Amino acid sequence: MPSGVRINMPRGYQRGKPYSQRQQNRRIVRVLCIVVVCGLIYFWYRPIDILAVPFEKHEAYMNDRASVKGFIAKQSYDWRQAAFQNTIESYTPLPQGDPRSLPQIQFRFPEESPSRRASREKRRVAVRNEFKRSWQSYVKFAWTMDELLPVKGQGLESFGGWGATLVDSLDTLWIMGFKKEFYDAVEAVSRIDFGASEESTISVFETTIRYLGGLLSAYDLSHEKVLLDKAEQLGEMLYRAFDTPNNMPLDRLNIKSAKQPEGGGYPSDSSICFAGIGSLTMEFTRLAQVTGRSKYYDAVARVTEFLDRAQNTTKIPGLFPEWVNAADQDMSTDRTFTLGAMADSSYEYFPKMFALLGGLEPVYKKLYEETAPVIDKHMLFRPMLPDPKEGAELLFSGDVHANNYHESLDPEMQHLTCFIGGFFALAGRLFKNDYHVDLGAKLTEGCIYAYKTMPTGIMPEIFHMTPCPTRNSCPFNNTFWEEQVLKYTYSARPTDFTAMVSDMRLPKGWTSLRDKRYLLRPEAIESVFIMYRITGHEEYLDHAWDMFTAIQRASRTKFANGQVIDVTSSKGSAARNVEDKMESFWLAETLKYFYLIFSPTDMIDLDDWVFNTEAHPFRRPKAVRVEAGG
Ligand SMILES: *[C@@H]1O[C@H](CO)[C@@H](O)[C@H](O)[C@H]1NC(C)=O
Ligand SMILES: *[C@@H]1O[C@H](CO)[C@@H](O)[C@H](O)[C@H]1NC(C)=O
């Protein structure tokens, strides 16, 4: 209706209607209400285009596309021609033989009721829409750059300048069924020039888990050949990090000097963090599997041999220290042990490597089985809470210092450490250890509790808790708690302790909020997702939804989502509590795990896929599965 018609109506028109017309209007309103309600019911239950298609069929649907042929993987420098001074005589081959049939990891989910399905699908669509907002802003403001600045709406280079967010998001686009966006992204990825970079040195670890992991996973899902070409180009560059006298990988690779005609040949690092040396295994193994080139597997197998030899020589035998001397292949000096930053993913990869190699390499089982009980003994602790019943269901993981005569626990918890709930549960299934599945459940509960306890509903980056002396009985000891709080504030007891604690926004039982930020990290939802797929317990879905809505509320910017500055702040809009920073793992990991927990359970089945530490699923080798009891 042209607006002029409305403007010409007399102002009192609505009010001055005769009675009979008002009655008629009521009837119209009633009919409209019925239509709206029917519409809502329809929209609630309607099939949501390709989201409703089961994953395997969805794959077939995706493979049907007519479009993409002839992407050419371009580069200005061929890394295959780069020097490699420390030649390797013969390569350790991938383990030979048929993949073993490993124990079932996923719960056997029963048929889903229509109402459960409807509520789950609604949540799935909400996650997908959140992803779409961020992705569209990335495309608009930061296309082919490493990161989007979610407040300013600009791009930022931070990881070599090859499009970290672009590559890291490929498999999420695929899994969420963004078909056109996926192929637009593949087209852009085919133009990435790994032969050139703005930076002269790169982090080997970050480039491996984000870029190489992202390319391999997107290839595993889509079989798009150009992605494999890019993975190989990048793999050849990263392989230069192993050009050291003992072939131990470097923490940072100088890609400028590596390209020189007389380049290559670096001294090994005398100090490299455990995560840096130990978590290249999955990506290089998958690269070897899909290319058939054993040199990639050989490179990481040498590191694993070192870990195997060193496991009993550390200050706490069984555990691996934060810092490692790669030059002397020595792990016996550092006294600090953690499952958080500097170490996390190397532990994570032990059971995952066992799965990725189809159970054919026992060393990964050995590494896990000799580390897990020591983690349990020295690092895991029950928190002392005002309600001891609540505390009994929770576990956290702290750092350990090996002193001369005893070990001491630093009950520091990091968001990064939240991966270990899923770690223990997955390994517990894989190695048939129900006690470990139970540890995984309790560790996951610890992170869920930490989310729920904060005013924003989000766990902080780093905090401390009061540890119980034993896990059995643990009544709340106020004196002990106060002592611990004062220890972390480095202060004498104030006259009004309660006021101080309330100013600090410290919940009872917590002893510090060392870093109050939330950096859009995935580890908590990662463990909740794995626990759900392993146990089938429905309450994980509600925990996941609470986490998602809390994160959405606190982190939303005009264009996407940004890091939250203070998770203890209950007031104030997201606008004042958000940093202009969105790392690529928000789209690669956090939203992927949220999406998957609300998807049908055959979408990225844990018996068919295994995730790298950047949430990139790699295909597991298929064994002929022996059905239980069949
Ligand atoms: C390492 O030490 C533990 C405990 O002393 C022992 O049980 C295990 O067999 C040792 N492993 C190796 C490979 O020596
Ligand atoms: C409570 O903690 C204080 C301070 O550490 C300690 O002296 C006291 O023995 C504890 N009380 C109980 C009942 O364990």
Side-chain angles (χ1 to χ4, degrees), residues 477-480 483:
N477 180 341
N478 214 63
T479 319
F480 184 55
E483 271 178 17

Side-chain angles (χ1 to χ4, degrees), residues 80-115:
R80 282 175 301 185
Q81 76 193 42
F84 195 94
Q85 310 279 1
N86 296 281
T87 338
I88 289 167
E89 297 292 311
S90 76
Y91 297 134
T92 316
L94 280 160
Q96 305 295 304
D98 291 334
R100 298 267 179 77
S101 128
L102 300 176
Q104 173 147 349
I105 289 177
Q106 285 213 164
F107 177 72
R108 284 177 207 273
F109 287 87
E111 186 89 36
E112 197 177 26
S113 76
S115 70

Side-chain angles (χ1 to χ4, degrees), residues 162-184:
W162 298 304
T165 295
L166 176 72
V167 176
D168 229 3
S169 305
L170 286 170
D171 55 0
T172 315
L173 286 168
W174 176 276
I175 288 167
M176 290 189 177
F178 287 112
K179 183 184 179 189
K180 179 179 179 301
E181 290 81 355
F182 175 80
Y183 285 106
D184 287 348

Side-chain angles (χ1 to χ4, degrees), residues 59 224 372:
E59 268 195 288
E224 197 54 60

